[in-house]
Amino acid sequence: NVLVFLAWRLSGEEYLEWMAANFLVSWAHLQDSRFWTLLTSVFSHNMFWHLLINMLVLKNFGPILEKVLGKKSFFNFYISAGIISSFCHAAVSAWILNQPQLPALGASGAISGLVLLFAFIFPKEKILILGIIPMPALVGALVFVGIDIWGLIGQAEGGGLPIGHAAHLGGAMMGIFYYYVYLRPRLVREI
């Protein structure tokens, strides 16, 4: 993540087009067979605050989930959540927002998957929203899902902020799916 951020920051004009072609995901890129952007965009940030927030959330939730899932399963989940979130952004941009060229980048979708998975495993665990507001993990995660649904509706109506709500929701869906289809049945068998 940091290396790709530095590549965005230190690239001259002649390389920015290459970075955009290879580290941004969009439906147009997928139509051009740039399928690798489903993954490379997950490690791509071009704004410091975007990178910082994603890495802080990863640092806080990642080690806990890695202990629960194991290193390999954690890695596979994170990558899968990232790819699914990238695809959701691209598909929603093309089919709902009618903007197939709309690019996205960032780990936020994969991070959203981690937060939802954590919230379903530890629903009553206290988390701090915005670093200051304590609430149960499941409530906090569902608040963010609600905000993303609201934001996506706003975008579909022609407004909204330039935030990848569809990517966040795709990652969240992956977290919920993974919990109910894979992890919960395994945990029940172990009890």
Side-chain angles (χ1 to χ4, degrees), residues 55-151:
M55 295 304 98
L56 284 173
V57 176
L58 178 61
K59 176 72 174 128
N60 283 301
F61 291 92
I64 297 165
L65 290 173
E66 187 180 47
K67 285 181 184 176
V68 171
L69 303 177
K71 288 183 186 299
K72 184 178 177 185
S73 291
F74 174 79
F75 177 80
N76 290 337
F77 172 77
Y78 184 80
I79 296 299
S80 298
I83 291 170
I84 294 294
S85 67
S86 292
F87 181 80
C88 287
H89 163 78
V92 166
S93 295
W95 299 334
I96 295 176
L97 304 181
N98 296 314
Q99 297 180 52
Q101 74 291 348
L102 185 65
L105 75 169
S108 302
I111 298 297
S112 181
L114 292 181
V115 171
L116 264 290
L117 182 58
F118 177 90
F120 274 81
I121 296 170
F122 306 106
K124 295 179 183 177
E125 187 69 33
K126 294 284 186 243
I127 61 171
L128 298 175
I129 303 298
L130 304 174
I132 53 173
I133 305 168
M135 65 179 56
L138 189 56
V139 173
L142 294 178
V143 164
F144 277 105
V145 167
I147 290 169
D148 280 318
I149 291 170
W150 179 62

Side-chain angles (χ1 to χ4, degrees), residues 7 29 31-32 38 52 57 69 88 110 122 135 142 152 154 157:
H29 281 174
Q31 287 180 311
D32 288 342
L38 289 167
L52 180 66
V57 176
L69 303 177
C88 287
F122 306 106
M135 65 179 56
L142 294 178
L152 186 57
E157 293 173 347

